[in-house]
Every structure is written in structure tokens, then in C-alpha cells.
Amino acid sequence: MIETEHLSKKYGDLVAVRDLSFQVEKGKIWGLLGPNAAGKTTTMRILTGYLPATEGRAVVAGYDVFEQAEAVKQSIGYLPEVVPLYPEMTVESYLSFVAEIKKVPSSKKAAAIDRAVEVTGLKSVRKRLIKNISRGYKQRVGIAQALIHSPQVIILDEPTIGLDPAQIVEIRQLIKSLKGEHTVMLSTHILAEVTQVCDGVVIINEGKLMASGSLDELTAAYKEKEGVYLRLKKIDNDTLNLFRQLSGMEKVQVEGSEVKLEWSKGKDLREQVIKLCLEKQLGLLEMRSTAINIEELYLRIVSGGIEQ
Amino acid sequence: MKAIWSIAKRELLSYFTSPIAYIVISVFVLLSGFFFYSLVWWFNSQALQMAQNPYYYQQVNINQMVFAPLFHNLSVVLLLMLPILSMRLFSEEKKMGTEELLFTSPISVPQIILGKYLASLIVLASMLILSAIPTTFTFIYGNPETLPYLLGYLGLFLLGAAFLGLGVFWSSLTENQIVSAVLTFGTLLLFWVLSWAGYSARGLWQSVLNYLSFFDHFDGMTKGILDTSDLVYYFSFAFFGLFLTYSVIQSRRWR
């Protein structure tokens, strides 16, 4: 649904995006991750037709962004980082204006506004002036304008920035509800958001693609060892030796009140570990995977300079 | 056309939900009323004196003695006030971040520019219509010629349209409304004083400077003379301003 090939954008001597190629499947929610000034907003602006690329090609909803700009704009709903609102308008008149410039037929305009208001939960503020509603509602109005013409692709630049925790949860729920009917690409700094909302990520740094794929694919790809943390009633040398005797076990060490067990990638000793704990009555209280989490993955990719 | 009207409607809403349009229109109508009252008062006193002499009495002409100076005064007031109307057109969109919404919508840049320009023209027309209401009483109590009167207002509208074309251009260059207004005002003043330089110039320079001056083209219309070259001048000026706006927007987006 979204595809870029060797996309580059230069501002004079500054290269904001370099040789960026990735794909986003239809009906999925995809995150665009990267540190500040990584080129996330520039990439989104290129995809929406707001900025041209210096080199490369981008296809959105089957249309070439540069050759068929109008068709792309008709197929895209876009929420920029700064929510584009006119404070002097009411929510309803604003959505009506956006429906008109997004070329929603007059006969379908009222229904389109009703649907956007319904989906984004704006019913209670529908007749109020935008300048008088809360930040969370303003963000919702921004998402509503991106949805008004039922676009195939929705691009959201930092949709939860500046919101309080309750509002963040609400907006995440809202974004998740768009999955399936729309293909969503969102940029964010909040890694928890990615695990909660996204099916996959594109990680960029200094304009370069560092990694892209589903979260499972990426964690699998970047995991060097597999293992578990065990919380036991009693930890002593005898217990540790029991684990060391398991075939394929590579590392057994105590970390705080837990025991960390590691084995080589591709093997799975979890079943044997549990069996051993039960047979020897080691008092197993908790077992969790040592699988790499999104924060570690992100830091390893971005800071460690690992390139896929 | 529908997209242009959508943009214009929203722009009009912005004008009329902020104090700008009300203040600009009110001040313009107030000044127009003051000038008109003063000129009519002066005309009455002159007419009474001239009535003593049949030769001079034939020279009494309300169009030349009231309307022509009124239109000239109003043209200067427009020069002062229209930069305030045009200053926000693109500057505000840039500052508020709403230009991203406009430029990622399936409407063209010329449609956006024309929509905004149309809204400012509608405010200009409202200013002129409201300011013209008191002057219509001269048709009840006097006998002015209709054509010079109408051409005078047409001239003011065309002059204002040219001013606004230039104002749209400056507002597309900056997100600061004050900067936009000052640059528009400065450029308009420059074109105004071109005619002064024209008086001291000779030959081709004199013709060029006089042609470029706003007010030389306006003069004929206040006397009831409609010259196509004047119309071409105003349309070209407005078109040039809008074309520069288009170039600025495109160059910024395609750099």
C-alpha cells in the first residue's frame, strides 16, 4: 500500500533522507521510528506530496506520488505534527471545510462528517469552537480531518505528542480501531506505543533505513541468544548445577534474585527447564523470556549502528 | 470553482470572526463619510458663491468637485488599509501549520490562491458598497452624472484588487503578518511616488514611470473615461502579484 524505492531528500547540502526503501502492507499499522532529526517528518511529507523527493520513487495506494500527486492526495489522510486547525471555526464547520477541499461529494458530506465525528468521539464538542476544546479533543479533530474522505492510507506524524496519559490511551485505541479498513503509518518517539499499536516498524536514523519489518521478525533477527529468567524460592549452587547439566544450556548465572538461563538461538529449552523445576521441587515462582524488548531493539539498531 | 469557493468561504469566516474585517470596513466607511461630508459642505459653499456669476455657475460640477477628490482620497485610504486585509492570507496559514492541510489536499495551488484572493476582494467590495451608501443621496438631492460616479467606484475596486494582488504575494513570503503588511505598504508607496518621479523625468522615462504609477491610471476613471490600457494595467498588476505568489509557493515546495 505504501512503497518507497531509493528515496532521498536533500536540503542544500543537508541530506534529510537517503536511499530509503521500505514497504507497508495493506490494512496494517506501521510505525516510523527514529531519533530527532532522523528524517521521519520529511519522509511523511514526501509520501503526502507536500515535499518532493530529490531522488527515488514513492507509491501510495497504487499511485506514484510524483506523477499522480492529486490521486495520491485523494487517497491519503494526513495529520501533521502541528495539528492543522482553524481555532475560529467550530469542529463541525472545520470538518465541513476539510470535506469540501478533500472533494467529498456534497450529497455524502453530512454522512462523512457524522462518521468522522462518531469514530473519533467528537459528538460532545461538535458544535464548539476549536479554540475552546481541550488538547486531546484537538488531536481527535486532527485525526477526524484525516479520516473525513475515507482514505485508503492514513499518515499520522506524532499523533500522541503533548497529550496526558489518559488522552494517549484514548488516541491509541482510536488508531488501533482504524486497522483493517485503512493502512496507517505513524511516527512516534514512544516505543511502548509501537508495541501496543503497530504491526511493524521502519526504523531510520540520519535519514537512512536501519531496519524494517514486523516486530516479531525484528526481535527474532536481532536476538543472539534465547533464554529465560527464573524466580525460585531458593537459589544455591546445587540448583544452578542442575540447570548447567541440561543439554544445550550455555549460560547459567544469578542476576539479583533471579537466575538467567541462556541457550543458543534456534533451540528451546523452556519445556525441559519447567520439567526440571517440578521434578526437583525447586519452588518455581515465575519464568519470563529474556527476549529482546522494543527499547533494547531500538537502542541496538539506532545507537549501536546495526544496519539491516 | 467549487474548491475556490470553499477556500474563499473559510477565509471570509476568518475575516469576520476576527476584528480585522470589522475594523478595516468601519474605519474606511467612517473616513469615506467624513471626506464626503467635507467635500459636500465645501461644494455647497462654492456653489453659493459661484451662483452670483452665471459664467462660473456653469462650471459647477458635483462630479468634478465632490466625487473626483473623494475617489482620490479613498484611493490613498485603500493604500493604507488593504495591506492589513492581505497580510494574513498566507502568513497565518504558515504560522498555524494549516498550509500543510491545504497543500496535501487534492486541490491545486492556483485554486488556493484564487480562493484567498476572492475572499479579500469580497471584503474590498463590501467596503466600497458600504462607503457608497451616503453618496447615493446626491442622486436624490442633486444631479450628478452616473457614468463617472460608477467608473470612479470601479476604479477604486480595480486599484484595490491590484493592491491585494501585491499583498497576497508578500504574505506568501513570510509567516509574520506585520512584516507582510509593511512590505506591501512600502511597495505600494513606491508605486505611488513613481508618478512624482515621473514629473521630473523626461522622454521615455517619464512615460514609463507614469505608466507604472497606480494613480495615473485611476485619474481617467474619476473623470468618466474608461481606457482599456488602464484596465489592462490593473488586471496585469493583480495577475502578476498572484503569479509571483504561485511561483513562491511552488519554489518553496519544490526546492
Side-chain angles (χ1 to χ4, degrees):
Chain A
M1 186 53 70
I2 302 175
E3 194 180 341
T4 67
E5 285 174 19
H6 308 293
L7 212 60
S8 294
K9 174 69 187 174
K10 291 177 190 165
Y11 295 105
D13 292 335
L14 179 81
V15 184
V17 173
R18 63 182 84 198
D19 201 26
L20 192 62
S21 302
F22 64 83
Q23 285 184 350
V24 176
E25 288 169 55
K26 190 177 179 181
K28 302 275 184 184
I29 301 180
W30 221 253
L32 185 60
L33 283 181
N36 285 328
K40 302 188 293 291
T41 297
T42 302
T43 305
M44 290 188 151
R45 285 178 166 176
I46 292 171
L47 292 175
T48 55
Y50 181 70
L51 277 181
T54 313
E55 280 167 41
R57 183 167 176 261
V59 177
V60 175
Y63 301 108
D64 188 294
V65 170
F66 315 111
E67 305 291 331
Q68 296 155 295
E70 197 173 324
V72 167
K73 288 174 180 178
Q74 189 69 60
S75 315
I76 275 188
Y78 175 44
L79 172 69
E81 193 176 348
V82 178
V83 185
L85 301 173
Y86 296 102
E88 69 277 9
M89 296 179 100
T90 63
V91 171
E92 189 172 81
S93 61
Y94 171 74
L95 292 177
S96 170
F97 165 67
V98 178
E100 284 173 20
I101 63 170
K102 299 275 183 184
K103 297 190 174 168
V104 175
S106 306
S107 56
K108 294 179 180 165
K109 197 170 85 174
I113 296 169
D114 287 344
R115 180 182 159 274
V117 165
E118 185 72 37
V119 171
T120 51
L122 287 169
K123 221 170 173 179
S124 60
V125 295
R126 186 176 176 147
K127 304 277 182 195
R128 286 177 63 186
L129 288 175
I130 290 173
K131 66 180 170 191
N132 293 337
I133 61 177
S134 71
R135 176 87 196 242
Y137 274 122
K138 282 180 182 158
Q139 203 76 11
R140 282 165 182 265
V141 177
I143 296 175
Q145 66 79 22
L147 292 175
I148 193 94
H149 57 304
S150 295
Q152 296 178 58
V153 176
I154 296 173
I155 293 183
L156 310 169
D157 196 354
E158 309 262 5
T160 55
I161 197 165
L163 299 181
D164 69 35
Q167 290 168 336
I168 288 175
V169 172
E170 284 175 10
I171 297 292
R172 280 184 196 156
Q173 286 298 331
L174 173 57
I175 294 169
K176 273 163 93 172
S177 71
L178 302 174
K179 188 176 163 178
E181 198 182 335
H182 308 274
T183 304
V184 181
M185 180 163 219
L186 62 93
S187 75
T188 181
H189 279 115
I190 307 164
L191 297 170
E193 195 157 280
V194 175
T195 47
Q196 286 174 27
V197 177
C198 300
D199 299 303
V201 286
V202 172
I203 301 179
I204 58 174
N205 190 20
E206 294 175 353
K208 265 195 312 188
L209 179 73
M210 305 303 284
S212 106
S214 74
L215 289 171
D216 291 340
E217 282 168 6
L218 287 179
T219 44
Y222 285 95
K223 198 158 58 175
E224 286 158 0
K225 301 251 188 220
E226 291 190 26
V228 288
Y229 284 102
L230 295 181
R231 189 178 286 272
L232 302 169
K233 272 187 177 167
K234 194 182 81 178
I235 303 171
D236 54 27
N237 272 336
D238 295 342
T239 313
L240 298 178
N241 284 334
L242 284 173
F243 290 120
R244 285 190 185 110
Q245 282 161 16
L246 283 176
S247 160
M249 186 64 72
E250 292 189 353
K251 193 174 171 188
V252 177
Q253 76 179 57
V254 179
E255 285 187 7
S257 59
E258 292 177 324
V259 180
K260 185 181 181 183
L261 308 180
E262 271 186 1
W263 51 86
S264 53
K265 194 173 157 185
K267 285 187 178 171
D268 191 355
L269 300 186
R270 285 176 296 181
E271 216 177 322
Q272 288 157 268
V273 169
I274 293 173
K275 210 171 156 186
L276 182 71
C277 289
L278 295 175
E279 276 176 6
K280 304 291 179 186
Q281 295 184 330
L282 299 176
L284 178 63
L285 301 173
E286 188 184 327
M287 183 169 97
R288 62 186 171 86
S289 170
T290 58
I292 190 167
N293 62 29
I294 185 76
E295 281 85 2
E296 285 175 72
L297 179 72
Y298 175 79
L299 288 173
R300 285 178 65 181
I301 293 172
V302 174
S303 314
I306 300 168
E307 222 173 304
Q308 196 182 22
Chain B
M1 192 61 207
K2 208 177 157 190
I4 295 174
W5 181 236
S6 297
I7 299 283
K9 262 192 315 183
R10 201 216 63 75
E11 206 60 50
L12 284 170
L13 186 88
S14 277
Y15 272 130
F16 288 100
T17 47
S18 74
I20 292 180
Y22 297 107
I23 290 173
V24 169
I25 292 174
S26 308
V27 171
F28 183 77
V29 171
L30 203 73
L31 285 172
S32 164
F34 172 74
F35 289 135
F36 177 63
Y37 172 78
S38 307
L39 286 163
V40 168
W41 187 86
W42 177 78
F43 172 77
N44 275 340
S45 63
Q46 290 293 306
L48 280 173
Q49 282 180 23
M50 290 162 109
Q52 313 292 322
N53 184 321
Y55 172 74
Y56 286 124
Y57 191 64
Q58 284 176 359
Q59 310 290 315
V60 172
N61 182 324
I62 192 166
N63 286 86
Q64 285 307 308
M65 295 175 73
V66 173
F67 288 119
L70 175 70
F71 293 141
H72 278 288
N73 290 351
L74 291 184
S75 66
V76 178
V77 179
L78 283 183
L79 185 144
L80 298 168
M81 308 218 73
L82 290 184
I84 297 165
L85 273 190
S86 63
M87 68 182 186
R88 53 174 300 287
L89 288 169
F90 278 99
S91 305
E92 178 108 326
E93 301 277 0
K94 261 195 222 183
K95 199 172 178 184
M96 301 292 289
T98 43
E99 71 166 13
E100 264 188 89
L101 168 69
L102 297 182
F103 295 137
T104 55
S105 296
I107 50 172
S108 65
V109 173
Q111 283 174 323
I112 296 168
I113 297 171
L114 286 175
K116 287 178 167 289
Y117 184 60
L118 176 64
S120 66
L121 288 183
I122 291 172
V123 178
L124 169 67
S126 318
M127 285 163 71
L128 294 176
I129 289 167
L130 288 171
S131 72
I133 292 171
T135 64
T136 54
F137 286 97
T138 51
F139 288 90
I140 300 169
Y141 299 109
N143 193 21
E145 290 172 69
T146 314
L147 189 64
Y149 172 83
L150 291 177
L151 280 181
Y153 274 106
L154 176 68
L156 280 177
F157 182 75
L158 293 174
L159 189 73
F163 290 175
L164 288 171
L166 190 77
V168 172
F169 161 64
W170 282 121
S171 82
S172 70
L173 280 175
T174 172
E175 63 172 53
N176 187 317
Q177 295 189 26
I178 305 296
V179 171
S180 159
V182 170
L183 287 171
T184 308
F185 179 64
T187 318
L188 293 178
L189 268 183
L190 186 74
F191 275 90
W192 187 24
V193 299
L194 278 180
S195 58
W196 300 353
Y199 295 138
S200 53
R202 291 281 172 273
L204 183 66
W205 271 113
Q206 188 177 33
S207 317
V208 170
L209 291 171
N210 283 342
Y211 183 78
L212 286 176
S213 167
F214 281 128
F215 297 100
D216 277 29
H217 295 274
F218 180 59
D219 214 32
M221 290 197 203
T222 63
K223 292 172 183 155
I225 303 160
L226 183 62
D227 190 333
T228 39
S229 74
D230 298 333
L231 292 179
V232 168
Y233 172 83
Y234 287 125
F235 282 126
S236 310
F237 204 96
F239 177 79
F240 188 60
L242 299 181
F243 176 74
L244 285 180
T245 310
Y246 174 77
S247 307
V248 165
I249 293 170
Q250 289 297 72
S251 72
R252 201 172 60 236
R253 294 174 63 220
W254 294 97
R255 193 171 291 156

